[in-house]
Amino acid sequence: MDFPARLALSVPLIQAPMAGTSTPVLAAAVSNAGALGSIAVGTLTPDAARRDIAALRAATGRPFNVNLFVHEPCTPDPQREAAWLEALRPVFAAFEAQPPGELETIYPTLIGNREMLAALVDAAPPVVSFHFGLPEREAMAALKAAGCLLLATATSLAEAHLARDAGIDAVVAQGWEAGGHRGLFDPSAPDGKLGTLALTRLLAAHSGLPVIAAGGIMDGQGIRAALDLGAVAAQLGTAFIACPESSADEAYRAALASEAAWHTTMTEAISGRPARCLANRFTAFAATPGLPPVAPYPRAYHAGKALNAAARTQGETGFGAQWAGQGAPLSRPLPAAELVALLAGELADQRA
Ligand SMILES: Cc1cc2nc3c(=O)[nH]c(=O)nc-3n(C[C@H](O)[C@H](O)[C@H](O)COP(=O)(O)O)c2cc1C
């Protein structure tokens, strides 16, 4: 399958779905500029997902991608969660606040989520992508029958083979450099931490699927390198955070434009799953020796969000989830259409 041709992309580029940061306006601007815009609905209710997909469809006549979290349903672990909340208590206290009494499963998974599946099948987005795993066979069949092209993130060849065997159309090779949550299917299994270069090449050679490279790609030169490795397209997330159309707040934008962009780190402390972000006060706290295990995803995120909210009441923004990849210092704060045009120009220059 010629992936860019099937989607009529003039630039072999996908704007990464970014829960909490990508917006229908951003995705539409990217799609209208000839690449593939994406929204993430993994943190939304089915009604909110329907609304965002409708807003995106109204703003572009071109293909777009809708992304979901597909983690194993979370089993609450009261003892572990209580210990984690106790560990956070002094940090909350510094902001005259207390941790939540009990954690909640604040984000759903697509697995077993009939309402979300119905919303997707009704909306039939041209592309649907999965992060953290794969949905049930019936869900995949329903989305395919609705005409959706299906993508899944893989961080290893084993995950790519699971995706291929399940009928996924193309795989997103997410390297260790990437911003945001690692797409590991099983975060408790050993992580090979493959970088984008090695993973893209391995999957291009051995997965049997078209490969979309993701992680640390910030400019046309990076896209070219991904294509040279055998990828059919590149997926860029961090590069789009600073676009005015994203919903990144001022503190996030300022951090990205500062020296802080040079220091990203992988942490489980914020959400309960490994994710790459700008190092901040939360990640410094997470390095405290002797901390108990972090509560499971997404229940730890309930505490993380509460801590960020408490800190912000005192003007402290160092506890926010400022996801970013290792290429962050190469970020360019441009309107999305201009950024896509610039990326396309750089890619063409490289080709010449
Ligand atoms: C702010 C942010 C939020 C993200 N949220 C999601 C998400 O909701 N779903 C998803 O599949 N990937 C998400 N990702 C990961 C991207 O899909 C992609 O793997 C990553 O952005 C590529 O690395 P880069 O950020 O260095 O370009 C997110 C990345 C960032 C930076």
Side-chain angles (χ1 to χ4, degrees):
M1 178 192 67
D2 183 344
F3 180 83
R6 175 158 171 192
L7 293 173
L9 302 184
S10 55
V11 194
L13 159 66
I14 301 176
Q15 166 250 315
M18 296 183 284
T21 303
S22 51
T23 60
V25 174
L26 172 64
V30 171
S31 285
N32 288 336
L36 187 73
S38 308
I39 50 169
V41 302
T43 57
L44 304 183
T45 62
D47 281 347
R50 284 181 195 267
R51 183 202 60 210
D52 274 14
I53 298 169
L56 175 49
R57 179 161 269 136
T60 184
R62 294 188 41 83
F64 58 85
N65 169 40
V66 175
N67 172 265
L68 292 115
F69 292 143
V70 195
H71 46 284
E72 286 301 318
C74 167
T75 314
D77 184 339
Q79 263 188 324
R80 176 169 157 189
E81 292 173 15
W84 179 241
L85 288 172
E86 272 317 296
L88 289 177
R89 187 173 296 283
V91 196
F92 273 91
F95 303 109
E96 293 163 26
Q98 294 198 343
E102 213 169 83
L103 293 177
E104 290 166 22
T105 301
I106 57 169
Y107 294 145
T109 171
L110 181 61
I111 294 175
N113 193 340
R114 287 174 179 277
E115 266 186 83
M116 185 60 96
L117 180 61
L120 287 170
V121 169
D122 288 350
V127 183
V128 173
S129 65
F130 307 120
H131 206 55
F132 299 150
L134 303 165
E136 303 94 319
R137 193 174 287 273
E138 306 74 50
M140 297 256 309
L143 291 168
K144 285 204 162 193
C148 308
L149 187 85
L150 302 182
L151 315 182
T153 301
T155 61
S156 66
L157 184 62
E159 290 171 353
H161 281 163
L162 289 171
R164 179 200 61 196
D165 295 348
I168 289 289
D169 295 300
V171 69
V172 178
Q174 188 198 38
W176 179 246
E177 300 92 323
H181 281 96
R182 247 173 109 54
L184 298 166
F185 287 16
D186 177 3
S188 67
D191 182 354
K193 301 181 181 174
L194 293 172
T196 305
L197 193 153
L199 182 65
T200 300
R201 193 75 201 113
L202 284 168
L203 298 198
H206 296 292
S207 73
L209 286 173
V211 176
I212 297 146
I217 303 171
M218 299 294 290
D219 49 27
Q221 288 84 343
I223 299 172
R224 173 79 256 157
L227 300 181
D228 283 347
L229 291 169
V232 295
Q235 178 166 289
L236 282 62
T238 301
F240 286 93
I241 298 170
C243 293
E245 298 94 336
S246 90
S247 55
D249 63 21
E250 284 313 312
Y252 196 175
R253 291 174 192 274
L256 203 55
S258 76
E259 207 270 334
W262 291 86
H263 310 283
T264 68
T265 186
M266 193 70 81
T267 186
E268 294 175 21
I270 297 177
S271 73
R273 282 185 78 114
R276 183 172 295 283
C277 63
L278 300 180
N280 63 11
R281 287 195 58 190
F282 208 152
T283 60
F285 163 76
T288 311
L291 284 181
V294 180
Y297 177 91
R299 295 170 73 81
Y301 219 166
H302 179 194
K305 284 178 179 285
L307 178 54
N308 182 38
R312 278 175 175 265
T313 63
Q314 312 265 329
E316 170 60 63
T317 57
F319 288 87
Q322 294 172 340
W323 310 129
Q326 289 179 343
L330 296 168
S331 166
R332 297 170 290 194
L334 294 170
E338 283 180 40
L339 180 56
V340 172
L342 182 60
L343 291 163
E346 291 167 344
L347 177 60
D349 280 352
Q350 292 282 303
R351 277 176 167 160

